[in-house]
Amino acid sequence: MSGWLARGCEELPASGPEGTGWLSTAEQERLGRLRFPKRRSEFLLRRWTAKHAVLAVLGEAAGSGGAAAAARVAVLNRASGAPYVLVDGAPLGLEVSVTDRAGWAVCLVGDGPDPVGVDLELVEPRSDAFVADFLTTAEASRVRARPTGDGPGGRSELADVVWSAKESALKVLRTGLRTDTRAVEVTLRDSAPGGPGVAAGWRPLAVRHMPTGQVLPGWWRRDGDFVVTTAAVRPHDPPALLPTSDDLARAVPVDPWPAEPFADVRRR
Ligand SMILES: CC(C)(COP(=O)(O)OP(=O)(O)OC[C@H]1O[C@@H](n2cnc3c(N)ncnc32)[C@H](O)[C@@H]1OP(=O)(O)O)[C@@H](O)C(=O)NCCC(=O)NCCS
């Protein structure tokens, strides 16, 4: 596992025809097919973040504004929707996964060839119906056993970590939500004292694909109002924070439509 990087929508270069020169032709074409401003801004933020994650792994500073360097990296999609990356038109063997939520995006870069998955969620209450409908019986009972609230260790956090880990795992499996979310079951593992990633805030998890028995190991972390989860095919060290990443723990969630902070979740 190479590393992860977070970026916020406020850093995006100005939009408009002259403001998206950092996108490849194929990315420009995809942007052109997105009609709604919210979808366009989310796509742009995912591309901006993924390109800078790849540049950081390659050890290349993006330079002022970052647009010229970002133009060298293309993040394209397979027919399934899963992303792949080209640098100067060539595949370098890196695997990426990208996600956005509330004006922030995260990209996970893996060494390849195995796929990786990452998901970002805002910690927010989930309804009883959501827990009953989308979580397995075991997951739901663990969530209900937690004290209510959005704080660390609370019910919202666990429900959101479980949901997020399912999305990360389903990205690794390349099916996304075409797979029933109850076909994958998330277990949070205890951190070994002094174990890998503990100091950096990562805690271990595992996602079991019930139909096949395949277990996808991963990690999760709480950063302020957000949780991040990762998943991969094999056991791996927690991802390292890449140079040029923003600090998600200080990130203020933004509703990109309209572009105003969420008053109810803003706590700093
Ligand atoms: C993968 C999925 C769970 C992510 O959903 P999300 O929470 O809305 O979005 P996130 O921001 O976390 O992730 C979006 C990224 O997931 C990735 N992704 C999409 N489909 C994927 C797949 N089958 N496998 C792995 N990654 C996938 C893409 O990189 C996408 O960003 P991009 O399109 O800019 O490249 C969801 O898009 C999905 O289920 N897709 C497959 C089914 C589908 O196409 N449904 C259509 C709508 S019902």
Side-chain angles (χ1 to χ4, degrees), residues 13-231:
S15 55
E18 66 290 346
T20 53
W22 52 278
L23 294 174
S24 67
T25 304
E27 291 165 331
Q28 296 264 12
E29 286 170 1
R30 177 150 172 219
L31 179 67
R33 292 194 296 273
L34 298 174
R35 291 178 48 222
F36 297 104
K38 178 175 186 292
R39 294 274 176 246
R40 292 170 65 86
S41 63
E42 290 169 343
F43 172 75
L44 288 169
L45 178 58
R46 289 195 299 273
R47 287 297 168 282
W48 185 249
T49 303
K51 287 164 180 261
H52 284 83
V54 170
L55 289 168
V57 165
L58 298 177
E60 300 187 27
S64 62
R72 297 178 49 207
V73 180
V75 181
L76 309 173
N77 298 87
R78 300 180 174 91
S80 66
Y84 67 96
V85 61
L86 301 176
V87 180
D88 296 328
L92 293 188
L94 297 175
E95 283 289 327
V96 296
S97 183
V98 63
T99 178
D100 79 279
R101 184 76 178 90
W104 294 83
V106 167
C107 180
L108 177 66
V109 185
D111 300 326
D114 294 330
V116 296
V118 70
D119 188 68
L120 175 69
E121 295 291 337
L122 195 57
V123 177
E124 55 190 345
R126 300 285 186 170
S127 68
D128 292 344
F130 177 93
V131 171
D133 288 350
F134 295 113
L135 274 51
T136 68
T137 306
E139 291 166 341
S141 64
R142 287 195 283 268
V143 166
R144 293 187 192 110
R146 292 286 179 98
T148 54
D150 297 350
R155 191 174 297 179
S156 302
E157 179 185 88
L158 181 58
D160 287 311
V161 169
V162 168
W163 174 254
S164 178
K166 286 175 185 288
E167 290 215 23
S168 288
L170 295 177
K171 287 176 180 176
V172 173
L173 297 175
R174 303 250 167 97
T175 64
L177 294 173
R178 296 181 188 95
T179 295
D180 185 339
T181 57
R182 291 166 300 184
V184 284
E185 187 163 82
V186 178
T187 310
L188 304 191
R189 299 262 164 91
D190 291 331
S191 302
V198 173
W202 289 107
R203 286 172 269 185
L205 61 77
V207 187
R208 184 179 188 82
H209 183 236
M210 316 282 239
T212 61
Q214 183 182 11
V215 175
L216 304 174
W219 299 91
W220 74 277
R221 59 185 300 121
R222 173 86 185 251
D223 281 319
D225 294 319
F226 293 92
V227 291
V228 181
T229 63
T230 72

Side-chain angles (χ1 to χ4, degrees), residues 5-7 11 52-53 55-56 60-63 241-247:
L5 176 141
R7 287 292 177 99
E11 299 163 28
H52 284 83
L55 289 168
E60 300 187 27
L241 188 66
L242 292 166
T244 76
S245 178
D246 284 343
D247 181 1

